[in-house]
mmCIF file of all heavy atoms in Angstrom:
data_model
loop_
_atom_site.group_PDB
_atom_site.id
_atom_site.type_symbol
_atom_site.label_atom_id
_atom_site.label_comp_id
_atom_site.label_asym_id
_atom_site.label_seq_id
_atom_site.Cartn_x
_atom_site.Cartn_y
_atom_site.Cartn_z
ATOM 1 N N ASP A 164 -16.718 -1.484 3.498
ATOM 2 C CA ASP A 164 -17.914 -0.908 4.135
ATOM 3 C C ASP A 164 -17.834 0.610 4.120
ATOM 4 O O ASP A 164 -18.841 1.299 4.141
ATOM 5 C CB ASP A 164 -17.986 -1.349 5.609
ATOM 6 C CG ASP A 164 -17.929 -2.848 5.734
ATOM 7 O OD1 ASP A 164 -18.927 -3.502 5.377
ATOM 8 O OD2 ASP A 164 -16.877 -3.379 6.165
ATOM 9 N N ILE A 185 -16.796 10.810 3.124
ATOM 10 C CA ILE A 185 -16.810 9.446 3.631
ATOM 11 C C ILE A 185 -18.206 8.894 3.353
ATOM 12 O O ILE A 185 -19.218 9.501 3.693
ATOM 13 C CB ILE A 185 -16.406 9.376 5.121
ATOM 14 C CG1 ILE A 185 -16.308 7.912 5.550
ATOM 15 C CG2 ILE A 185 -17.350 10.150 6.042
ATOM 16 C CD1 ILE A 185 -15.447 7.719 6.779
ATOM 17 N N ILE A 186 -18.226 7.750 2.676
ATOM 18 C CA ILE A 186 -19.513 7.205 2.216
ATOM 19 C C ILE A 186 -19.606 5.734 2.608
ATOM 20 O O ILE A 186 -18.646 4.972 2.451
ATOM 21 C CB ILE A 186 -19.651 7.342 0.672
ATOM 22 C CG1 ILE A 186 -19.310 8.779 0.246
ATOM 23 C CG2 ILE A 186 -21.060 6.963 0.212
ATOM 24 C CD1 ILE A 186 -19.441 9.049 -1.245
ATOM 25 N N GLU A 187 -20.782 5.360 3.140
ATOM 26 C CA GLU A 187 -20.954 3.967 3.558
ATOM 27 C C GLU A 187 -21.487 3.129 2.400
ATOM 28 O O GLU A 187 -22.179 3.628 1.525
ATOM 29 C CB GLU A 187 -21.909 3.911 4.749
ATOM 30 C CG GLU A 187 -21.267 4.551 5.973
ATOM 31 C CD GLU A 187 -22.201 4.575 7.181
ATOM 32 O OE1 GLU A 187 -22.905 3.583 7.413
ATOM 33 O OE2 GLU A 187 -22.208 5.606 7.872
ATOM 34 N N ARG A 188 -21.168 1.846 2.456
ATOM 35 C CA ARG A 188 -21.504 0.943 1.348
ATOM 36 C C ARG A 188 -22.996 0.961 0.995
ATOM 37 O O ARG A 188 -23.354 0.925 -0.169
ATOM 38 C CB ARG A 188 -21.043 -0.483 1.689
ATOM 39 C CG ARG A 188 -21.885 -1.559 1.142
ATOM 40 C CD ARG A 188 -21.326 -2.622 0.251
ATOM 41 N NE ARG A 188 -19.939 -2.740 0.021
ATOM 42 C CZ ARG A 188 -19.448 -2.935 -1.216
ATOM 43 N NH1 ARG A 188 -20.226 -2.910 -2.268
ATOM 44 N NH2 ARG A 188 -18.173 -3.117 -1.380
ATOM 45 N N ASP A 189 -23.869 1.009 2.044
ATOM 46 C CA ASP A 189 -25.300 0.866 1.739
ATOM 47 C C ASP A 189 -25.959 2.194 1.307
ATOM 48 O O ASP A 189 -27.174 2.281 1.195
ATOM 49 C CB ASP A 189 -26.048 0.243 2.925
ATOM 50 C CG ASP A 189 -25.849 1.058 4.201
ATOM 51 O OD1 ASP A 189 -25.265 2.167 4.115
ATOM 52 O OD2 ASP A 189 -26.271 0.594 5.277
ATOM 53 N N THR A 190 -25.162 3.214 1.033
ATOM 54 C CA THR A 190 -25.719 4.487 0.568
ATOM 55 C C THR A 190 -26.312 4.294 -0.837
ATOM 56 O O THR A 190 -25.596 3.820 -1.744
ATOM 57 C CB THR A 190 -24.612 5.573 0.504
ATOM 58 O OG1 THR A 190 -23.945 5.609 1.762
ATOM 59 C CG2 THR A 190 -25.176 6.926 0.169
ATOM 60 N N PRO A 191 -27.615 4.633 -1.016
ATOM 61 C CA PRO A 191 -28.190 4.459 -2.354
ATOM 62 C C PRO A 191 -27.399 5.237 -3.405
ATOM 63 O O PRO A 191 -26.970 6.367 -3.148
ATOM 64 C CB PRO A 191 -29.612 5.036 -2.202
ATOM 65 C CG PRO A 191 -29.902 4.946 -0.739
ATOM 66 C CD PRO A 191 -28.588 5.139 -0.041
ATOM 67 N N GLY A 192 -27.166 4.589 -4.551
ATOM 68 C CA GLY A 192 -26.403 5.248 -5.618
ATOM 69 C C GLY A 192 -24.940 4.846 -5.643
ATOM 70 O O GLY A 192 -24.237 5.116 -6.614
ATOM 71 N N LEU A 193 -24.468 4.187 -4.575
ATOM 72 C CA LEU A 193 -23.082 3.678 -4.601
ATOM 73 C C LEU A 193 -23.114 2.183 -4.920
ATOM 74 O O LEU A 193 -23.889 1.427 -4.322
ATOM 75 C CB LEU A 193 -22.397 3.893 -3.236
ATOM 76 C CG LEU A 193 -20.921 3.482 -3.168
ATOM 77 C CD1 LEU A 193 -20.179 4.328 -2.128
ATOM 78 C CD2 LEU A 193 -20.715 2.005 -2.830
ATOM 79 N N SER A 194 -22.311 1.762 -5.881
ATOM 80 C CA SER A 194 -22.191 0.326 -6.160
ATOM 81 C C SER A 194 -20.755 0.022 -6.581
ATOM 82 O O SER A 194 -19.997 0.944 -6.940
ATOM 83 C CB SER A 194 -23.171 -0.100 -7.243
ATOM 84 O OG SER A 194 -22.911 0.619 -8.432
ATOM 85 N N CYS A 217 -25.699 9.617 -6.130
ATOM 86 C CA CYS A 217 -25.424 9.107 -4.782
ATOM 87 C C CYS A 217 -25.510 10.295 -3.801
ATOM 88 O O CYS A 217 -24.715 11.241 -3.871
ATOM 89 C CB CYS A 217 -24.037 8.482 -4.760
ATOM 90 S SG CYS A 217 -23.560 7.857 -3.167
ATOM 91 N N GLU A 218 -26.494 10.205 -2.903
ATOM 92 C CA GLU A 218 -26.809 11.344 -2.022
ATOM 93 C C GLU A 218 -26.057 11.222 -0.703
ATOM 94 O O GLU A 218 -26.238 10.242 0.022
ATOM 95 C CB GLU A 218 -28.320 11.310 -1.761
ATOM 96 C CG GLU A 218 -28.878 12.635 -1.374
ATOM 97 C CD GLU A 218 -30.399 12.531 -1.243
ATOM 98 O OE1 GLU A 218 -31.090 12.519 -2.288
ATOM 99 O OE2 GLU A 218 -30.883 12.449 -0.107
ATOM 100 N N VAL A 219 -25.226 12.208 -0.429
ATOM 101 C CA VAL A 219 -24.374 12.129 0.767
ATOM 102 C C VAL A 219 -24.648 13.355 1.643
ATOM 103 O O VAL A 219 -24.572 14.492 1.166
ATOM 104 C CB VAL A 219 -22.878 12.134 0.342
ATOM 105 C CG1 VAL A 219 -21.979 11.992 1.554
ATOM 106 C CG2 VAL A 219 -22.605 11.021 -0.648
ATOM 107 N N PRO A 220 -24.972 13.168 2.932
ATOM 108 C CA PRO A 220 -25.201 14.327 3.789
ATOM 109 C C PRO A 220 -23.947 15.178 3.948
ATOM 110 O O PRO A 220 -22.829 14.644 3.924
ATOM 111 C CB PRO A 220 -25.596 13.711 5.148
ATOM 112 C CG PRO A 220 -25.455 12.252 5.022
ATOM 113 C CD PRO A 220 -25.082 11.883 3.622
ATOM 114 N N ASN A 223 -20.936 14.319 6.006
ATOM 115 C CA ASN A 223 -19.970 13.299 5.562
ATOM 116 C C ASN A 223 -18.798 13.880 4.782
ATOM 117 O O ASN A 223 -17.963 13.139 4.268
ATOM 118 C CB ASN A 223 -20.664 12.244 4.696
ATOM 119 C CG ASN A 223 -21.478 11.289 5.536
ATOM 120 O OD1 ASN A 223 -21.994 11.681 6.563
ATOM 121 N ND2 ASN A 223 -21.588 10.052 5.099
#
Side-chain angles (χ1 to χ4, degrees):
D164 305 288
I185 185 158
I186 311 181
E187 293 178 40
R188 148 122 7 225
D189 57 8
T190 308
L193 183 151
S194 60
C217 179
E218 203 175 283
V219 183
N223 284 31

